[in-house]
Amino acid sequence: MNQGNEFAEGDFIVTQEQAVFEVIDRGDGTYAISSMAYFPCRGIDRRAVVPKNGPLLGESLLRAGEQRFFVPYKPHYVSGAYVLPLESVRLHEMPEVRAKELFFGEGEIELRNLLIKISAGSAVPPFSIGVGGSTLIGLRDEIATLIIYGIKQNQSVWDFLKYSDLSPLSLKKELVKKKSWMDDQAFELIMNRKWDIGKTNGIKFRIRGVLPRGEDNGEKSKFLYSQAPVEGEAKIVEDRMGRVFPARYSVKGDVDQIIIYDQDLIGLAEENETVKYRGKLEVFELEGRRVKKLLIGSKWDYFMPLQAQK
């Protein structure tokens, strides 16, 4: 277990009860946990079963620096949130450690070659790349997940894939699910903006950019309340973190920020564009003022540049 008590998007934790959780960055300096179903882990009983939950988006938090996880742990399949003490965590698996094992170890040659190719082509150093998904806990994903630590490093990988032959449109259409609210024209435009998908030597992979371990976006806001889902339009005024997970946009409109937890919608909008959205509204207090954040992650939510509707 990581004794430094620093967590990052894409980490996995395993409890003494053999429950496996993935760490989710909430984008506000806190973290949530999503549980995984039927996930065996190295050294963990393969019969372990925990209920599957999506990103929490405001229910329960894992706060960096505190000595407790707050997770919706439901060992008896009952409703409600449970408190999971930090001492109950048996393992803390980190993507960059797994990548280091692949870079300098033996076995899994194809995955190692993928890491080397991405690092060399993007000029991103190996220590800024991690291996996430179920591969992190000893399984083999059909689609590999590469964690890229750092905004600039993640952009370098996107640029590399954009100008390489590793990310054809046909592959993106195969791996990205067309949303019910997308027409053909919108889907095509969105596919032309997605450069976090690739394939090489028979391995399909997706890129997930995250903030480096121990670093957050510097915002220390206090949650006040949430509201029913809202719809509207907003202008993107800052997109610096629009291609990391979760994507974060500063906007001008009826909301102040848009935070996206759907990997398929990451990286779609750019500064000065107007977007149409639907998502859950949460209100926070930040430096004496109220900030409205729109959270996008459920199957009913949407986020799309208006250009995609033309």
Side-chain angles (χ1 to χ4, degrees):
M1 179 181 166
N2 174 26
Q3 296 298 324
N5 197 30
E6 291 183 347
F7 300 91
E9 165 72 35
D11 288 2
F12 276 78
I13 61 172
V14 184
T15 71
Q16 301 289 353
E17 298 83 7
Q18 303 176 357
V20 182
F21 296 95
E22 184 175 15
V23 175
I24 306 296
D25 183 350
R26 280 177 43 84
D28 61 357
T30 65
Y31 296 86
I33 301 296
S34 68
S35 58
M36 312 300 291
Y38 302 99
F39 261 48
C41 181
R42 288 174 290 180
I44 298 299
D45 188 345
R46 289 177 177 270
R47 295 170 298 175
V49 179
V50 293
K52 184 178 177 63
N53 299 294
L56 304 184
L57 305 184
E59 293 180 45
S60 307
L61 307 179
L62 157 64
R63 295 190 178 276
E66 295 185 0
Q67 293 300 306
R68 283 184 177 274
F69 291 95
F70 296 87
V71 302
Y73 183 44
K74 304 174 183 177
H76 302 295
Y77 294 87
V78 296
S79 62
Y82 291 76
V83 176
L84 178 64
L86 188 60
E87 54 267 24
S88 295
V89 177
R90 176 181 172 187
L91 294 175
H92 178 190
E93 299 281 10
M94 295 176 282
E96 69 272 34
V97 173
R98 182 71 181 114
K100 184 178 179 179
E101 293 172 353
L102 290 170
F103 268 116
F104 301 107
E106 298 180 355
E108 300 195 57
I109 296 176
E110 294 177 344
L111 190 53
R112 181 192 303 120
N113 289 340
L114 170 61
L115 294 173
I116 293 172
K117 189 166 191 173
I118 294 297
S119 178
S122 63
V124 171
F127 58 78
S128 293
I129 302 177
V131 176
S134 59
T135 303
L136 179 58
I137 53 175
L139 297 178
R140 181 64 181 270
D141 276 331
E142 179 181 352
I143 303 171
T145 299
L146 299 187
I147 306 293
I148 309 299
Y149 295 94
I151 296 173
K152 292 183 178 180
Q153 291 85 347
N154 183 60
Q155 183 62 53
S156 294
V157 175
W158 276 60
D159 291 342
F160 166 60
L161 292 178
K162 181 177 181 178
Y163 296 106
S164 73
D165 60 355
L166 304 183
S167 187
L169 182 61
S170 59
L171 177 66
K172 292 187 284 187
K173 287 184 174 181
E174 174 188 344
L175 298 187
V176 177
K177 182 180 179 181
K178 183 179 179 182
K179 313 294 184 183
S180 60
W181 45 266
M182 295 179 184
D183 59 22
D184 291 341
Q185 183 178 0
F187 186 59
E188 196 79 14
L189 184 144
I190 289 172
M191 291 299 94
N192 288 330
R193 294 191 177 192
K194 293 293 291 180
W195 300 106
D196 56 353
I197 296 171
K199 180 179 180 180
T200 181
N201 296 326
I203 297 182
K204 300 174 185 177
F205 62 90
R206 299 199 68 164
I207 300 298
R208 190 192 307 178
V210 304
L211 295 180
R213 186 171 305 282
E215 177 182 321
D216 58 39
N217 64 351
E219 179 182 299
K220 304 301 179 185
S221 54
K222 178 182 178 182
F223 174 74
L224 297 178
Y225 59 90
S226 61
Q227 295 182 356
V230 298
E231 298 177 285
E233 296 180 5
K235 182 178 180 179
I236 304 294
V237 297
E238 199 273 313
D239 67 349
R240 186 178 71 91
M241 302 181 71
R243 290 179 175 174
V244 297
F245 189 96
R248 309 160 177 88
Y249 293 100
S250 295
V251 301
K252 183 178 181 180
D254 292 332
V255 298
D256 302 298
Q257 296 180 17
I258 296 177
I259 303 177
I260 300 175
Y261 292 87
D262 186 335
Q263 184 69 40
D264 290 347
L265 303 181
I266 299 291
L268 297 187
E270 300 175 355
E271 286 186 13
N272 297 317
E273 285 189 324
T274 298
V275 297
K276 186 176 181 180
Y277 61 76
R278 183 184 190 276
K280 178 182 177 181
L281 181 65
E282 291 191 347
V283 180
F284 291 76
E285 181 179 314
L286 176 64
E287 298 177 351
R289 63 186 180 91
R290 291 194 172 188
V291 176
K292 294 181 179 180
K293 299 182 181 183
L294 187 86
L295 309 182
I296 295 176
S298 80
K299 63 181 181 180
W300 300 282
D301 298 342
Y302 60 79
F303 176 82
M304 180 171 55
L306 288 185
Q307 177 185 352
Q309 294 183 304
K310 296 179 180 179

